[in-house]
Amino acid sequence: QSVLTQPPSVSGAPGQRVTISCTGSSSNIGAGYDVHWYQQLPGTAPKLLISNNSNRPSGVPDRFSGSKSGTSASLAITGLQAEDEAGYYCHSYDSSLSGAVFGGGTKLTVL
Amino acid sequence: QVTLRESGPALVKPTQTLTLTCTFSGFSLSTSGMCVSWIRQPPGKALEWLALIDWDDDKYYSTSLKTRLTISKDTSKNQVVLTMTNMDPVDTATYYCARIPSGSGSCLDYWGQGTLVTVSS
Protein backbone atom coordinates (compact mmCIF):
# COMPACT_ATOMS: atom_id res chain seq x y z
CA GLN A 1 0.00 0.00 0.00
CA SER A 2 1.60 3.25 -1.15
CA VAL A 3 1.77 6.33 1.07
CA LEU A 4 0.57 8.46 -1.86
CA THR A 5 -2.68 7.25 -3.43
CA GLN A 6 -3.23 7.34 -7.19
CA PRO A 7 -6.02 5.81 -9.28
CA PRO A 8 -4.77 2.56 -10.83
CA SER A 9 -5.94 3.56 -14.28
CA VAL A 10 -7.39 6.41 -16.32
CA SER A 11 -8.32 6.59 -19.98
CA GLY A 12 -9.28 9.09 -22.61
CA ALA A 13 -9.72 9.50 -26.32
CA PRO A 14 -7.16 11.30 -28.47
CA GLY A 15 -7.48 15.05 -28.06
CA GLN A 16 -9.24 14.82 -24.71
CA ARG A 17 -8.08 16.02 -21.29
CA VAL A 18 -7.38 13.68 -18.39
CA THR A 19 -6.27 14.28 -14.84
CA ILE A 20 -4.43 11.99 -12.44
CA SER A 21 -4.74 12.62 -8.73
CA CYS A 22 -2.20 11.98 -6.01
CA THR A 23 -3.57 12.04 -2.48
CA GLY A 24 -1.29 12.24 0.53
CA SER A 25 -1.52 13.36 4.13
CA SER A 26 -0.35 15.92 6.64
CA SER A 27 3.10 14.33 6.83
CA ASN A 28 3.88 14.66 3.14
CA ILE A 29 1.98 16.78 0.60
CA GLY A 30 -0.05 18.49 3.32
CA ALA A 31 3.12 19.45 5.15
CA GLY A 32 4.20 21.50 2.17
CA TYR A 33 6.63 19.12 0.55
CA ASP A 34 6.91 19.38 -3.20
CA VAL A 35 5.34 16.86 -5.54
CA HIS A 36 7.05 15.58 -8.66
CA TRP A 37 5.60 13.54 -11.51
CA TYR A 38 7.26 10.94 -13.72
CA GLN A 39 6.22 9.25 -16.94
CA GLN A 40 7.26 5.65 -17.51
CA LEU A 41 6.83 4.32 -21.03
CA PRO A 42 6.63 0.52 -21.28
CA GLY A 43 9.99 -1.15 -20.70
CA THR A 44 11.83 2.09 -19.95
CA ALA A 45 13.04 4.04 -16.94
CA PRO A 46 10.87 6.78 -15.44
CA LYS A 47 11.34 10.25 -16.89
CA LEU A 48 10.80 13.49 -14.96
CA LEU A 49 7.64 15.17 -16.23
CA ILE A 50 6.79 17.82 -13.62
CA SER A 51 9.06 19.04 -10.83
CA ASN A 52 8.21 20.99 -7.69
CA ASN A 53 4.44 20.77 -8.17
CA SER A 54 4.11 22.62 -11.45
CA ASN A 55 7.44 23.11 -13.24
CA ARG A 56 7.99 21.51 -16.62
CA PRO A 57 11.59 20.52 -17.40
CA SER A 58 12.94 21.59 -20.75
CA GLY A 59 11.54 19.44 -23.54
CA VAL A 60 8.30 18.46 -21.80
CA PRO A 61 5.30 19.60 -23.87
CA ASP A 62 3.03 22.21 -22.33
CA ARG A 63 0.18 19.72 -22.67
CA PHE A 64 1.39 18.45 -19.31
CA SER A 65 0.72 20.51 -16.19
CA GLY A 66 0.80 19.97 -12.45
CA SER A 67 -0.90 21.52 -9.46
CA LYS A 68 -1.05 21.04 -5.72
CA SER A 69 -3.61 21.94 -3.09
CA GLY A 70 -3.85 20.85 0.52
CA THR A 71 -2.96 17.19 0.84
CA SER A 72 -3.33 16.42 -2.88
CA ALA A 73 -1.70 17.06 -6.21
CA SER A 74 -2.84 16.55 -9.78
CA LEU A 75 -1.32 15.97 -13.17
CA ALA A 76 -3.32 17.17 -16.14
CA ILE A 77 -2.73 16.10 -19.73
CA THR A 78 -4.54 17.97 -22.49
CA GLY A 79 -4.75 17.08 -26.17
CA LEU A 80 -4.15 13.39 -25.45
CA GLN A 81 -1.92 11.62 -27.92
CA ALA A 82 -1.28 7.92 -28.46
CA GLU A 83 2.32 8.38 -27.29
CA ASP A 84 1.07 9.50 -23.86
CA GLU A 85 0.02 5.94 -23.09
CA ALA A 86 2.29 5.13 -20.15
CA GLY A 87 2.50 4.78 -16.39
CA TYR A 88 2.55 7.96 -14.30
CA TYR A 89 3.94 8.26 -10.76
CA CYS A 90 3.83 11.03 -8.18
CA HIS A 91 6.66 11.47 -5.67
CA SER A 92 7.14 13.52 -2.53
CA TYR A 93 8.82 13.48 0.86
CA ASP A 94 7.28 12.16 4.06
CA SER A 95 8.44 13.57 7.38
CA SER A 96 7.14 10.69 9.49
CA LEU A 97 9.07 8.21 7.34
CA SER A 98 12.02 10.57 6.87
CA GLY A 99 12.28 9.61 3.26
CA ALA A 100 10.90 9.84 -0.23
CA VAL A 101 7.57 8.27 -1.09
CA PHE A 102 5.94 7.36 -4.39
CA GLY A 103 2.37 6.87 -5.46
CA GLY A 104 1.19 3.48 -6.60
CA GLY A 105 1.23 4.58 -10.23
CA THR A 106 -1.52 5.22 -12.76
CA LYS A 107 -1.73 3.54 -16.15
CA LEU A 108 -3.02 5.88 -18.82
CA THR A 109 -4.76 4.26 -21.77
CA VAL A 110 -5.43 6.30 -24.89
CA LEU A 111 -8.58 4.84 -26.43
CA GLN B 1 25.36 15.50 -20.64
CA VAL B 2 24.21 13.71 -17.51
CA THR B 3 24.13 9.92 -17.59
CA LEU B 4 23.80 7.23 -14.95
CA ARG B 5 24.27 3.51 -15.40
CA GLU B 6 23.54 0.71 -12.94
CA SER B 7 25.61 -2.45 -12.86
CA GLY B 8 25.57 -5.61 -10.79
CA PRO B 9 24.55 -9.25 -10.84
CA ALA B 10 21.40 -10.23 -12.68
CA LEU B 11 20.84 -13.22 -10.42
CA VAL B 12 21.43 -13.66 -6.71
CA LYS B 13 20.52 -16.48 -4.37
CA PRO B 14 18.33 -16.08 -1.31
CA THR B 15 20.26 -14.90 1.78
CA GLN B 16 23.10 -13.51 -0.36
CA THR B 17 24.19 -9.87 -0.34
CA LEU B 18 23.51 -7.76 -3.42
CA THR B 19 25.99 -5.10 -4.46
CA LEU B 20 24.97 -2.58 -7.12
CA THR B 21 27.09 0.19 -8.58
CA CYS B 22 25.80 3.41 -10.12
CA THR B 23 28.40 4.98 -12.41
CA PHE B 24 27.57 8.50 -13.49
CA SER B 25 28.93 11.29 -15.64
CA GLY B 26 28.08 14.89 -16.39
CA PHE B 27 28.01 16.04 -12.75
CA SER B 28 30.02 15.78 -9.57
CA LEU B 29 28.73 14.39 -6.30
CA SER B 30 31.06 16.78 -4.53
CA THR B 31 28.96 19.74 -5.72
CA SER B 32 27.00 21.26 -2.87
CA GLY B 33 23.38 20.08 -2.86
CA MET B 34 23.89 17.18 -5.25
CA CYS B 35 22.45 13.78 -4.30
CA VAL B 36 22.01 10.30 -5.77
CA SER B 37 19.14 7.99 -4.87
CA TRP B 38 18.38 4.33 -5.41
CA ILE B 39 14.83 3.27 -6.32
CA ARG B 40 13.48 -0.16 -7.21
CA GLN B 41 10.46 -1.50 -9.06
CA PRO B 42 9.25 -5.12 -8.78
CA PRO B 43 7.86 -6.47 -12.05
CA GLY B 44 4.47 -4.90 -12.75
CA LYS B 45 4.52 -2.92 -9.50
CA ALA B 46 5.16 0.60 -8.26
CA LEU B 47 8.38 2.45 -7.62
CA GLU B 48 9.89 2.17 -4.14
CA TRP B 49 12.53 4.56 -2.79
CA LEU B 50 15.47 2.82 -1.11
CA ALA B 51 18.28 5.18 -0.17
CA LEU B 52 19.96 8.52 -0.79
CA ILE B 53 23.48 9.87 -0.37
CA ASP B 54 24.35 13.53 -0.61
CA TRP B 55 27.41 15.58 -1.47
CA ASP B 56 28.31 15.85 2.22
CA ASP B 57 28.21 12.03 2.64
CA ASP B 58 24.98 12.12 4.62
CA LYS B 59 22.95 8.97 4.08
CA TYR B 60 19.24 8.29 4.31
CA TYR B 61 17.41 4.98 4.09
CA SER B 62 13.93 3.60 3.62
CA THR B 63 12.53 2.96 7.10
CA SER B 64 11.35 -0.51 6.17
CA LEU B 65 14.70 -1.61 4.67
CA LYS B 66 17.32 0.36 6.56
CA THR B 67 18.66 -2.60 8.51
CA ARG B 68 19.59 -4.26 5.21
CA LEU B 69 20.89 -1.31 3.18
CA THR B 70 24.20 0.49 2.96
CA ILE B 71 24.90 3.32 0.52
CA SER B 72 28.33 4.78 -0.14
CA LYS B 73 30.09 6.93 -2.71
CA ASP B 74 33.46 7.18 -4.39
CA THR B 75 33.60 10.73 -5.66
CA SER B 76 36.87 10.20 -7.52
CA LYS B 77 35.32 7.35 -9.54
CA ASN B 78 31.90 9.02 -9.93
CA GLN B 79 30.24 5.99 -8.38
CA VAL B 80 27.58 5.27 -5.78
CA VAL B 81 27.31 1.77 -4.36
CA LEU B 82 24.27 0.17 -2.74
CA THR B 83 24.46 -3.07 -0.81
CA MET B 84 21.42 -5.01 0.33
CA THR B 85 21.87 -7.96 2.65
CA ASN B 86 19.83 -11.11 3.12
CA MET B 87 18.20 -11.05 -0.31
CA ASP B 88 14.80 -12.71 -0.71
CA PRO B 89 12.69 -13.54 -3.79
CA VAL B 90 10.44 -10.56 -2.95
CA ASP B 91 13.46 -8.33 -3.64
CA THR B 92 13.30 -9.29 -7.31
CA ALA B 93 13.03 -5.95 -9.09
CA THR B 94 14.57 -3.50 -11.49
CA TYR B 95 16.91 -1.28 -9.51
CA TYR B 96 17.44 2.32 -10.64
CA CYS B 97 19.79 5.05 -9.56
CA ALA B 98 18.82 8.67 -10.15
CA ARG B 99 20.21 12.14 -9.56
CA ILE B 100 18.77 14.87 -7.39
CA PRO B 101 20.30 18.11 -8.66
CA SER B 102 21.43 20.94 -6.45
CA GLY B 103 18.70 23.37 -5.51
CA SER B 104 15.88 21.22 -6.84
CA GLY B 105 14.48 20.06 -3.57
CA SER B 106 13.99 16.38 -4.13
CA CYS B 107 13.10 15.74 -7.76
CA LEU B 108 14.90 12.96 -9.60
CA ASP B 109 15.85 14.60 -12.86
CA TYR B 110 18.00 11.94 -14.50
CA TRP B 111 17.61 8.18 -14.15
CA GLY B 112 19.73 5.24 -15.18
CA GLN B 113 18.24 2.60 -17.45
CA GLY B 114 17.84 0.21 -14.53
CA THR B 115 19.18 -3.26 -13.87
CA LEU B 116 16.94 -6.26 -13.28
CA VAL B 117 17.91 -8.36 -10.30
CA THR B 118 16.28 -11.76 -9.84
CA VAL B 119 16.48 -13.53 -6.51
CA SER B 120 16.19 -17.27 -6.93
CA SER B 121 17.92 -20.43 -5.86
Side-chain angles (χ1 to χ4, degrees):
Chain A
Q1 186 129 357
S2 301
V3 172
L4 304 179
T5 301
Q6 298 180 233
S9 64
V10 297
S11 63
Q16 285 190 331
R17 178 181 187 271
V18 297
T19 61
I20 298 172
S21 61
C22 174
T23 302
S25 67
S26 58
S27 61
N28 42 68
I29 299 174
Y33 295 108
D34 288 330
V35 178
H36 318 291
W37 291 90
Y38 305 89
Q39 178 192 59
Q40 187 174 33
L41 297 170
T44 69
K47 167 195 163 188
L48 179 64
L49 200 61
I50 298 288
S51 67
N52 303 96
N53 309 314
S54 58
N55 297 324
R56 270 190 316 276
S58 174
V60 174
D62 59 6
R63 301 186 296 105
F64 295 90
S65 63
S67 63
K68 177 186 143 182
S69 178
T71 58
S72 295
S74 288
L75 172 70
I77 310 171
T78 58
L80 263 184
Q81 300 180 3
E83 67 219 45
D84 299 332
E85 191 159 287
Y88 293 84
Y89 291 89
C90 59
H91 159 222
S92 187
Y93 177 85
D94 190 284
S95 57
S96 64
L97 296 173
S98 297
V101 288
F102 285 95
T106 299
K107 177 170 172 50
L108 168 64
T109 300
V110 180
L111 301 171
Chain B
Q1 179 189 2
V2 173
T3 65
L4 302 98
R5 185 183 76 251
E6 306 86 352
S7 59
L11 179 66
V12 298
K13 293 182 178 354
T15 75
Q16 286 187 334
T17 293
L18 171 69
T19 299
L20 295 173
T21 300
C22 175
T23 303
F24 56 87
S25 64
F27 68 96
S28 172
L29 200 39
S30 60
T31 299
S32 179
M34 202 71 74
C35 310
V36 170
S37 259
W38 283 94
I39 303 100
R40 71 178 179 180
Q41 184 174 36
K45 296 190 177 180
L47 300 168
E48 178 184 17
W49 176 75
L50 300 177
L52 177 151
I53 189 165
D54 71 15
W55 81 102
D56 207 23
D57 210 33
D58 291 322
K59 300 156 188 175
Y60 305 87
Y61 298 101
S62 162
T63 303
S64 61
L65 292 168
K66 67 180 183 179
T67 60
R68 299 173 53 205
L69 296 172
T70 303
I71 192 169
S72 62
K73 66 181 174 72
D74 186 330
T75 305
S76 64
K77 291 184 179 178
N78 282 350
Q79 291 182 333
V80 172
V81 175
L82 181 76
T83 62
M84 181 180 290
T85 61
N86 195 24
M87 293 292 285
D88 182 273
V90 300
D91 296 313
T92 294
T94 296
Y95 287 75
Y96 297 99
C97 61
R99 182 186 85 154
I100 299 175
S102 305
S104 74
S106 59
C107 80
L108 301 153
D109 68 341
Y110 285 92
W111 295 60
Q113 63 187 17
T115 185
L116 175 61
V117 177
T118 301
V119 184
S120 175
S121 54

